[in-house]
Amino acid sequence: MKTIVLTNQKGGVAKTTTAYALAAGLHNKGFRVLIVDADPQGNLTYTAGNEENKKDTLYEVLKGNCTVHEAMRNTHPLDNAMSILSVGLQATAADMELAGAVAREYKLKQALAQVAKDYDYCVIDTAPTLGLLTLNALTAGDRVIIPLNLEVYSLQGMEQLSGFIENIKQYTNKDLLISGLLITKYNERLNISQALEDNVEQAAKVMQTRVFNTKIRESVAVKETQLLRSDLYREAPQANATLDYIAFVDEFIGLEG
């Protein structure tokens, strides 16, 4: 199982949208996919059409109170080729409750190892913070994808995120690689978008990675499918964002071999 982490401490960059689009896109190509919603807000769980399991959550797995299999749910009742693990709202206290736990940064990696043979890919959505849950996700990950908007604030946090990832590589996951930076909510008609593309390229060089060729265009279909608790491929197959995510999934698979 190859584990891909979507992260950016800046909110509003379509991180959750991208996580679900990547997972559903891989599933549509015949891969077995495990989705991990490691954000206590549970937006990915909601979008995937699942109700939050308030008892057997991923957070309870991390604390040793239930098994991974007890916490897992299929995204669709009759389809076990795409499943989801939700960390749960209680995980907002993770930094405090797990503060004294032995090997606390490896908890998620240990949990995922129990089901690694059952899936081809694991896609992890993280909270817009650099706390313990994100540390666990990056420690468990093989690859990182960083979605970002062409906005000044979105680029400001790249240096901090880069340092955080470098610390992960030094101390808990030496094999972690950044697959690339993905530009989202793209509008080529805005002058600032064109002006900031060079900044994104520079940020990628500093982080020793690439900028994906695919850009995800702004599309009202994204918000509409979130409301429907479905995915773009099913509800809006011809929308700009859908076509872009199809191209992005193909690009990602091609780069990863």
Side-chain angles (χ1 to χ4, degrees):
M1 181 176 76
K2 184 170 289 186
T3 301
I4 305 110
V5 182
L6 282 291
T7 192
N8 192 328
Q9 75 271 36
K10 172 71 171 64
V13 296
K15 178 173 52 57
T16 297
T17 298
T18 300
Y20 192 46
L22 175 60
L26 292 169
H27 173 256
N28 290 344
K29 290 184 175 295
F31 294 107
R32 299 167 300 164
V33 182
L34 173 62
I35 304 171
V36 175
D37 187 354
D39 184 349
Q41 296 180 82
N43 291 336
L44 180 55
T45 302
Y46 178 87
T47 301
N50 285 63
E51 299 301 327
E52 182 184 338
N53 181 353
K54 299 184 184 299
K55 180 183 177 182
D56 297 329
T57 64
L58 175 58
Y59 187 47
E60 295 301 319
V61 174
L62 301 183
K63 293 196 295 181
N65 294 335
C66 72
T67 68
V68 171
H69 290 93
E70 287 172 335
M72 285 173 53
R73 296 289 183 271
N74 292 338
T75 56
H76 301 289
L78 300 180
D79 185 0
N80 61 4
M82 189 161 76
S83 306
I84 188 165
L85 276 168
S86 303
V87 75
L89 184 60
Q90 296 87 347
T92 52
D95 284 37
M96 292 185 293
E97 288 194 22
L98 296 177
V102 176
R104 62 179 190 153
E105 62 270 33
Y106 295 97
K107 295 292 185 182
L108 180 57
K109 183 175 184 176
Q110 293 166 351
L112 294 179
Q114 300 175 42
V115 293
K117 293 182 179 180
D118 299 327
Y119 298 93
D120 302 302
Y121 286 97
C122 173
V123 178
I124 305 178
D125 184 33
T126 58
T129 64
L130 300 180
L132 180 60
L133 291 174
T134 301
L135 170 60
N136 264 262
L138 292 170
T139 298
D142 298 303
R143 299 289 187 271
V144 184
I145 294 172
I146 303 172
L148 75 164
N149 299 347
L150 290 177
E151 298 175 357
V152 173
Y153 293 156
S154 185
L155 290 168
Q156 276 186 324
M158 284 295 102
E159 184 176 349
Q160 181 184 8
L161 179 58
S162 177
F164 189 73
I165 291 174
E166 283 303 312
N167 285 337
I168 297 290
K169 292 169 69 173
Q170 183 174 356
Y171 295 110
T172 65
N173 187 358
K174 64 181 178 62
D175 297 322
L176 182 66
L177 293 176
I178 303 175
S179 287
L181 310 183
L182 177 67
I183 295 173
T184 61
K185 298 184 178 181
Y186 183 66
N187 187 339
E188 63 182 1
R189 293 173 293 180
L190 297 179
N191 291 333
I192 192 170
S193 295
Q194 299 173 17
L196 290 177
E197 283 191 55
D198 288 341
N199 297 65
V200 176
E201 292 287 351
Q202 290 301 315
K205 287 181 181 179
V206 170
M207 301 175 82
Q208 299 182 345
T209 187
R210 65 175 68 84
V211 180
F212 286 103
N213 291 326
T214 308
K215 300 180 182 68
I216 311 301
R217 287 169 287 180
E218 279 192 308
S219 175
V220 69
V222 171
K223 293 183 179 179
E224 291 174 346
T225 53
Q226 289 171 350
L227 182 64
L228 293 169
R229 304 183 70 182
S230 185
D231 66 71
L232 286 163
Y233 309 109
R234 183 181 306 150
E235 303 296 340
Q238 297 304 315
N240 286 339
T242 310
L243 299 176
D244 295 339
Y245 275 121
I246 291 171
F248 164 64
V249 172
D250 286 339
E251 183 179 359
F252 173 75
I253 292 173
L255 290 171
E256 294 299 317

